[in-house]
Amino acid sequence: MINKKINWPAMILLILGLSTIAFPLYLTVVIAFKQPSEMTNTISGILSLPKTWSFDNFKEAMRVTNFWQSLGNSLLISVVTVVLSVLVHSLMGYALGRNKSSSKFYNFVYLFIVSGMFVPFAILMMPLAKQTAEMGLANWVGVILLYVVFFMPMNILLYSGYLVNIPMALEEAAKVDGASTWTTYWKILFPIMKPMHATVAVLTALSVWNDVMTPLVIMAGSEQNTLPLAQLNFQSQFGTNYNLAFASYLLSLIPILIFYVICQKQILNGVVNGAVK
Amino acid sequence: MKNERKRTFLLITIPILALFICFNTIPLIRGVMYSFTNFKGFGKYDWVGLHNYIDLFSDARVGKSYLFTFKLAIVSTIVVNILSLLLALGLNSKIRAKSFFRGAYFLPNILGALVVGYIFNYFFTYILPALASMAGLDSLSTSILSNPSKAWIGIMIVCAWQAIAMNTIIYISGLQTVPEDVYEAGGLDGVTGFKKFRYLTFPLIIPFFSINMVLCVKNFLMVFDQIMALTKGGPAQSTESISYLIYNNGMSGGQFGFQSANAVVFFIVIVIVSVAQMKFSGKKEEQL
């Protein structure tokens, strides 16, 4: 009954469909390597391969956008946010998840935080710009704190949902052995939640890495850029030199592409888990 | 023993809750407060009561941004769901190199929306018109992004290009939950082709359909990066999304108070849409 035949029509359509993904990427690579003099106004002038594969555009783009500093800021913000999210949100998910069915207080806190998912950034943006400036947090530290707060509703929902399936007996056994609640959590529960840590880490990392709005609003005056922010500033200053611009775009895409090639399976699993739960 | 557990939980909850209140609840309250003032973003301000809200409903620019945002959200959601369902069916069928195809089709989703927008901006400005004039299509020989009645289509294409990747992956995981024996039983009854999809597959993946609807509508209503990269709200303010208008006029246009009122209304709209969707999809699932 099971049909082992390969579905060739689907296969052919899928291969053709790939061009919609490959074409914009091809465009980016080709333009990034060309010199402005090679860009004639015809299709063939734009889409042909460059005459020489020179890295001059990339060197110049790196210098103009201060690439290494932007990359460093982006990495710093993403890594610290992910680590804090996994530690803080799992802990909070544990405290709320274990108590919300028996205590009105914890149930209220849980609903209070989770309903934060409905608050669009648009309404927080203006007050937060004021507030972070007043608190001296109009910099990457402020951005990280905000991320930890913004992703809290979603991540707590994920963690407390995951905890439902972890039996209380484990904690009780540890308690009989004399371990405190705190130790029990870090020694027993935290390691058990590893699959959920992966999901949370992937979802948080992807959103933080590509986010424009938060750093744009918070870090605007700090002379510091994240990678997307550097592209935005670059565009408004040197937008007409397309070859340089595309070299800069390509540079900003490379880190996440490397990450995707290495962790593709974890990313796909993480995204599906996060959405379905 | 019991007290130790209680104390630990309180010590965990209180500081984290305080952080949440500090950077989510307080700004939210402050945003609502600013919406009743004529604050420009700096200097002194006065309370103006409901003045901003009354102005909001008679402001043509705000009305236009709501129309544009909803048009974009509805059309994109329909386009994205149809295409990603087709793509998921293809990727779930019996093909070679399945994991390569899945990986490749998910790629657009991990790329930053801003940079993707810039790349497509170039495509719409230079390549599409050149291709169109080669093919003799006069209506497309100028950039669609500079045409007030067509610019939204460009934005929709870029939004869709990234969102399809995400929705497809969710539909695939839905299709994998459909047990093979459902099709076997259907095969015995002679159900094939579109009927097989309509009566066997689709009812079983409705939960995934509603996840995708919720994700799509919410993300598209908050669209910002793509606008920033493609049109900056233009031409002739035809593509100003609500988020973009609030950012642009509120942060630097001296309309801090007025745009706060806009943001409050937007917040209420988001809540109504989300709650309505959850109610609706909850009902659908019960019927199964």
Side-chain angles (χ1 to χ4, degrees):
Chain A
M1 192 64 211
I2 293 172
N3 188 357
K4 282 275 181 199
K5 248 184 9 197
I6 288 174
N7 187 343
W8 284 107
M11 189 100 183
I12 290 163
L13 284 174
L14 285 173
I15 293 170
L16 290 177
L18 269 188
S19 61
T20 58
I21 313 250
F23 181 70
L25 298 176
Y26 170 79
L27 187 71
T28 315
V29 174
V30 176
I31 296 178
F33 275 98
K34 276 187 185 169
Q35 296 307 310
S37 56
E38 290 177 63
M39 305 277 287
T40 52
N41 268 338
T42 58
I43 284 287
S44 56
I46 297 171
L47 294 182
S48 62
L49 291 171
K51 288 195 188 85
T52 52
W53 294 89
S54 131
F55 286 93
D56 291 349
N57 288 339
F58 295 93
K59 275 184 207 143
E60 179 65 8
M62 279 186 176
R63 193 183 62 77
V64 176
T65 61
N66 217 340
F67 174 75
W68 294 110
Q69 199 198 31
S70 310
L71 178 69
N73 285 335
S74 271
L75 278 175
L76 177 75
I77 292 176
S78 304
V79 170
V80 176
T81 304
V82 167
V83 171
L84 282 178
S85 297
V86 167
L87 295 177
V88 173
H89 297 159
S90 67
L91 197 56
M92 191 65 164
Y94 171 61
L96 299 180
R98 278 294 187 244
N99 293 302
K100 72 181 159 80
S101 53
S102 59
S103 147
K104 268 191 181 152
F105 169 71
Y106 284 103
N107 194 41
F108 173 76
V109 174
Y110 174 78
L111 293 175
F112 182 70
I113 292 182
V114 169
S115 60
M117 262 196 291
F118 295 119
V119 182
F121 184 64
I123 191 171
L124 301 176
M125 162 169 79
M126 290 180 281
L128 276 176
K130 284 250 156 269
Q131 191 179 328
T132 49
E134 288 159 8
M135 297 166 84
L137 286 172
N139 49 35
W140 60 271
V141 180
V143 171
I144 290 172
L145 278 176
L146 291 183
Y147 283 143
V148 171
V149 170
F150 294 157
F151 296 115
M152 201 185 283
M154 177 71 185
N155 291 347
I156 283 183
L157 189 75
L158 290 173
Y159 275 122
S160 56
Y162 192 75
L163 273 165
V164 173
N165 299 322
I166 298 175
M168 283 290 284
L170 280 171
E171 287 157 69
E172 278 150 15
K175 197 185 280 173
V176 172
D177 292 344
S180 69
T181 308
W182 183 256
T183 338
T184 311
Y185 175 73
W186 294 110
K187 287 259 162 76
I188 296 174
L189 284 152
F190 189 78
I192 287 183
M193 293 198 284
K194 210 168 150 199
M196 199 30 93
H197 296 325
T199 297
V200 165
V202 162
L203 290 177
T204 312
L206 284 180
S207 331
V208 169
W209 183 264
N210 288 326
D211 184 41
V212 182
M213 231 175 165
T214 316
L216 175 65
V217 169
I218 305 302
M219 291 171 38
S222 73
E223 312 244 317
Q224 293 281 325
N225 277 335
T226 61
L227 266 187
L229 215 52
Q231 311 312 312
L232 189 71
N233 294 336
F234 178 83
Q235 172 79 9
S236 45
Q237 286 171 36
F238 310 93
T240 45
N241 187 341
Y242 285 107
N243 304 96
L244 204 54
F246 273 66
S248 170
Y249 302 156
L250 191 55
L251 281 172
S252 79
L253 295 180
I254 285 172
I256 192 85
L257 285 173
I258 294 174
F259 180 56
Y260 183 58
V261 169
I262 298 173
C263 312
Q264 191 187 326
K265 212 177 144 202
Q266 285 86 341
I267 292 177
L268 289 178
N269 284 342
V271 168
V272 170
N273 279 342
V276 174
K277 277 181 183 136
Chain B
M1 261 331 240
K2 195 113 208 232
N3 279 335
E4 183 265 346
R5 194 171 163 83
K6 269 192 172 163
R7 205 182 58 227
T8 310
F9 280 132
L10 266 182
L11 283 175
I12 294 169
T13 308
I14 301 291
I16 301 175
L17 180 63
L19 183 75
F20 183 81
I21 289 176
C22 179
F23 290 105
N24 194 304
T25 315
I26 291 178
L28 183 62
I29 295 169
R30 277 176 79 169
V32 175
M33 271 165 57
Y34 284 129
S35 75
F36 297 109
T37 70
N38 60 2
F39 193 38
K40 286 190 181 65
F42 50 84
K44 281 191 190 147
Y45 58 89
D46 294 310
W47 294 94
V48 293
L50 287 172
H51 195 75
N52 285 331
Y53 289 92
I54 295 163
D55 285 354
L56 202 62
F57 286 101
S58 55
D59 191 294
R61 197 168 167 189
V62 172
K64 216 168 146 184
S65 79
Y66 273 83
L67 276 180
F68 162 72
T69 311
F70 272 90
K71 179 168 81 176
L72 182 74
I74 292 167
V75 178
S76 306
T77 303
I78 295 170
V79 169
V80 166
N81 276 287
I82 292 173
L83 289 178
S84 50
L85 193 50
L86 287 173
L87 191 55
L89 286 169
L91 287 170
N92 204 44
S93 64
K94 293 179 183 75
I95 51 165
R96 289 237 174 96
K98 218 174 231 187
S99 58
F100 163 76
F101 277 114
R102 283 184 191 173
Y105 273 109
F106 186 70
L107 187 67
N109 193 263
I110 59 153
L111 306 176
L114 188 79
V115 169
V116 168
Y118 285 140
I119 295 168
F120 272 91
N121 190 339
Y122 186 87
F123 173 77
F124 289 134
T125 314
Y126 296 97
I127 298 191
L128 194 60
L131 282 174
S133 46
M134 263 165 61
L137 293 163
D138 283 343
S139 58
L140 283 174
S141 58
T142 53
S143 165
I144 58 168
L145 294 180
S146 57
N147 183 333
S149 60
K150 287 188 202 142
W152 72 277
I153 298 173
I155 294 169
M156 190 204 69
I157 291 171
V158 179
C159 289
W161 191 70
Q162 292 201 284
I164 286 171
M166 179 74 186
N167 285 23
T168 304
I169 286 297
I170 296 172
Y171 277 131
I172 288 177
S173 67
L175 290 173
Q176 285 169 344
T177 63
V178 181
E180 194 64 32
D181 49 357
V182 171
Y183 293 126
E184 282 173 25
L188 294 177
D189 292 340
V191 183
T192 51
F194 182 70
K195 270 195 175 156
K196 183 171 114 180
F197 172 76
R198 170 70 185 81
Y199 295 107
L200 295 179
T201 315
F202 190 70
L204 288 169
I205 58 165
I206 278 186
F208 296 86
F209 174 71
S210 31
I211 293 171
N212 273 337
M213 291 304 253
V214 174
L215 269 180
C216 263
V217 172
K218 214 176 144 201
N219 287 344
F220 291 142
L221 284 179
M222 296 192 200
V223 59
F224 179 81
D225 296 4
Q226 288 88 350
I227 310 281
M228 200 76 179
L230 286 164
T231 61
K232 294 216 150 81
Q237 299 169 0
S238 63
T239 59
E240 278 181 331
S241 74
I242 305 166
S243 297
Y244 183 81
L245 185 65
I246 295 171
Y247 167 78
N248 202 34
N249 288 9
M251 295 295 290
S252 54
Q255 296 186 338
F256 203 105
F258 179 65
Q259 292 302 338
S260 293
N262 191 5
V264 171
V265 173
F266 182 47
F267 172 43
I268 295 169
V269 168
I270 294 275
V271 171
I272 292 173
V273 170
S274 308
V275 171
Q277 273 187 327
M278 281 193 289
K279 281 250 162 75
F280 180 72
S281 55
K283 256 188 206 144
K284 274 276 194 180
E285 276 162 43
E286 273 168 12
Q287 285 171 355
L288 282 175

